[in-house]
Amino acid sequence: LGGVAVPSSVLAASVGQLVVIHGQSDQWRLRSASSQRELLDSFAGLDLAEYRSVYDAAASAQARLDRLAERERQSTFEADSLARAVREIEAVAPVEGEEESLPIEIERLAHTEDLRTAAEQALAALNGDELSLVSGATGLLDSARAALEAGSRRDPALTGFAERTRELTYLASDLAAEVADYRLGLESDPGAMVALQERRAALGALLRKYGATAAGVIAFAAEARERLAELDLSPERRRALAAEADRLATLRDEAAASLSAARAAAAKRLAQAVMAEMAGLGMKGARFDVNLVPLAQAGPNGADGVEFLFSAHPTGPLRPLAKGASGGELSRLMLALEVAALDPPDAGAGRGALNADEPGAGAEFSALTLVFDEVDQGVGGAAALALAERLARLALRHQVLVVTHLPQLAAAADHHLVLNKQDGVTALAPVAGPERRRELARMLAGLEESDAALEHAAELLGRDWVGQFN
């Protein structure tokens, strides 16, 4: 294990922070669209807090407008339902107690002839039959009264009986008159029968919908009229909310346009910086670009999607990283992005667009500990030296751990650890001083005691890997 390390104070600060591992099994992070956007925004020094505040305000205003529209739709539906109910009830105009009287009236009309016969029989019993000279109840009572009055002249005790018989005679006469009137009112009217049946059906429909009795239906209609008066269907409130939503949407779109402009400018700078780094990492001729993809509608991160494009050949088509870069290329490209974004060439050693110590730094790319695995794949010669220099540059402000077989990378490290496996036991041991020089010689030539290899190892150890960046 070769490592480019930072002072112990930084090592201590890294405890509990995010550790980003760069290996072929961890390349998904760089392929993530959200991570690419975060890297570009951090490189540009963009803080999305202000934009998101405007975006949230616009979204909240639109949500209030949508809720009002929904309430208006519900109120309109309720008002229409209540208005229909009131019209339906008013069309029938139910009368309290009508649900009980209607069936009786319909029953009377249905048996008119039977009722007429009963009335005539009652009249015959009360008044008698003139054709057959049969006396009725009134005639018999009148005869009884006359007999009692005649007898009372001889016995005053019969006077009371005579008075009571007179009262019965009056009652029978009144009853006969009322029965006669009832009989005259009995008329067979099919039209009236149909009308009553239709009304009973209409009243039954109201009872099923609005109340168990006609009185309940009448009360429901009164309450419905009051509710209709309470419903606020005024368009003024909606117009005010719509105006506020439009105003905030305009501010959001303006803020999104500013973000887009800043991203477009930063995309060019980032592409140029990464291209410069790739040239020194054994990827000469490879191309890198940052493409902004307009979104149909501004979202919480603006109106752009960010897409990193790559081509390993100068004439090949630029393709998304997930499709256009091999594992080794993607690993070195990740390093180029780290160097360009974490330590831009024009920012100096003390500043980085993705500095973890700066507010707003992207969490995905703001780790204090960076681990690189297989970053040396396919690299050798001058490219290996350039790769070591760039790792050393990162290590000025970040802890950098590198798994490598390249002696150049191991020589650039502040600390060098060797991984050995013997008799099924794996051991990790630090090397320093002469032991480190011999380990580098072995990495260079496979010979620990080769004078040429030891001399070359000493030269690598004596190289000032980071002096040019201070």
Side-chain angles (χ1 to χ4, degrees):
L1 175 69
V4 181
V6 292
S8 58
S9 60
V10 179
L11 288 173
S14 70
V15 176
Q17 300 292 324
L18 182 66
V19 175
V20 178
I21 299 176
H22 298 279
Q24 291 195 26
S25 61
D26 300 285
Q27 292 161 0
W28 58 269
R29 186 175 66 90
L30 187 57
R31 298 178 181 181
S32 166
S34 61
S35 294
Q36 293 176 10
R37 178 191 55 75
E38 289 171 4
L39 191 151
L40 177 63
D41 286 351
S42 295
F43 179 80
L46 295 178
D47 184 356
L48 270 62
E50 183 177 353
Y51 166 78
R52 284 174 178 162
S53 176
V54 176
Y55 174 84
D56 290 342
S60 177
Q62 185 60 48
R64 290 195 299 272
L65 184 60
D66 293 341
R67 287 195 297 270
L68 177 62
E70 180 61 25
R71 286 198 298 270
E72 285 183 340
R73 285 192 291 271
Q74 293 174 353
S75 297
T76 300
F77 177 79
E78 182 183 2
D80 290 343
S81 299
L82 292 174
R84 283 195 302 271
V86 170
R87 289 195 299 269
E88 186 178 357
I89 294 171
E90 290 177 345
V92 177
V95 177
E96 188 171 346
E98 191 176 10
E99 71 278 5
E100 297 176 354
S101 63
L102 270 177
I104 297 174
E105 184 67 15
I106 291 174
E107 184 72 9
R108 184 181 69 82
L109 284 177
H111 300 86
T112 300
E113 293 303 323
D114 294 339
L115 294 173
R116 182 179 287 109
T117 299
E120 289 174 349
Q121 289 175 350
L123 285 173
L126 288 169
N127 295 330
D129 190 345
E130 297 179 356
L131 297 177
S132 61
L133 302 178
V134 176
S135 297
T138 56
L140 293 173
L141 286 169
D142 193 53
S143 296
R145 178 191 57 75
L148 290 170
E149 286 179 348
S152 67
R153 288 194 290 270
R154 293 179 177 82
D155 185 358
L158 297 178
T159 301
F161 295 151
E163 287 298 325
R164 291 167 64 185
T165 304
R166 186 189 303 276
E167 292 175 359
L168 290 174
T169 302
Y170 292 153
L171 290 173
S173 296
D174 290 343
L175 177 60
E178 291 179 7
V179 171
D181 290 340
Y182 173 80
R183 183 190 61 180
L184 292 175
L186 288 173
E187 296 182 1
S188 180
D189 188 350
M193 181 69 170
V194 172
L196 285 175
Q197 289 176 335
E198 290 176 349
R199 182 166 182 79
R200 181 171 67 174
L203 181 62
L206 295 182
L207 296 179
R208 288 191 296 273
K209 293 181 180 179
Y210 309 117
T213 64
V217 173
I218 295 171
F220 177 88
E223 293 173 359
R225 294 186 188 97
E226 292 180 3
R227 176 60 178 159
L228 282 170
E230 293 173 358
L231 289 175
D232 180 17
L233 301 178
S234 172
E236 286 77 9
R237 186 182 178 193
R238 190 183 194 286
R239 284 198 293 267
L241 279 179
E244 177 66 4
D246 289 342
R247 184 185 71 83
L248 290 172
T250 299
L251 292 178
R252 176 203 63 202
D253 293 342
E254 290 174 351
S258 297
L259 280 180
S260 298
R263 282 174 177 158
K268 293 180 180 179
R269 297 197 308 272
L270 179 61
Q272 292 171 355
V274 171
M275 289 277 286
E277 294 297 332
M278 288 193 307
L281 291 174
M283 301 174 71
K284 190 174 182 179
R287 291 181 297 146
F288 174 83
D289 200 4
V290 180
N291 184 35
L292 298 185
V293 182
L295 302 179
Q297 185 175 358
N301 297 312
D304 312 294
V306 177
E307 186 178 41
F308 287 175
L309 304 175
F310 176 78
S311 174
H313 307 287
T315 58
L318 286 168
R319 303 175 65 191
L321 286 186
K323 301 178 180 179
S326 66
E329 291 167 341
L330 192 56
S331 184
R332 276 175 281 163
L333 181 58
M334 189 176 292
L335 174 59
L337 283 165
E338 293 286 5
V339 174
L342 286 168
D343 297 277
D346 58 348
R351 179 185 178 276
L354 291 175
N355 188 350
D357 299 328
E358 294 182 8
E364 191 72 25
F365 288 86
S366 61
L368 290 177
T369 300
L370 305 172
V371 180
F372 292 93
D373 185 16
E374 301 184 25
V375 71
D376 56 2
Q377 184 179 8
V379 177
L385 293 174
L387 178 58
E389 291 170 353
R390 280 156 178 79
L391 289 170
R393 176 177 173 180
L394 274 181
L396 289 173
R397 293 185 300 107
H398 305 281
Q399 179 176 245
V400 179
L401 304 177
V402 182
V403 179
T404 183
H405 297 286
L406 278 180
Q408 293 91 334
L409 300 192
D414 291 340
H415 303 281
H416 188 165
L417 296 94
V418 176
L419 187 67
N420 289 315
K421 186 173 183 181
Q422 186 174 5
D423 298 330
V425 178
T426 301
L428 186 66
V431 292
E435 292 183 10
R436 185 180 185 189
R437 188 158 62 104
R438 284 194 294 272
E439 175 62 22
L440 286 175
R442 186 192 62 77
M443 295 177 69
L444 284 165
L447 300 173
E448 298 180 12
E449 302 302 330
S450 168
D451 292 338
L454 288 171
E455 184 178 348
H456 191 184
E459 181 182 355
L460 289 176
L461 288 172
R463 181 183 176 88
D464 184 4
W465 297 97
V466 297
Q468 58 181 310
F469 300 117
N470 290 331

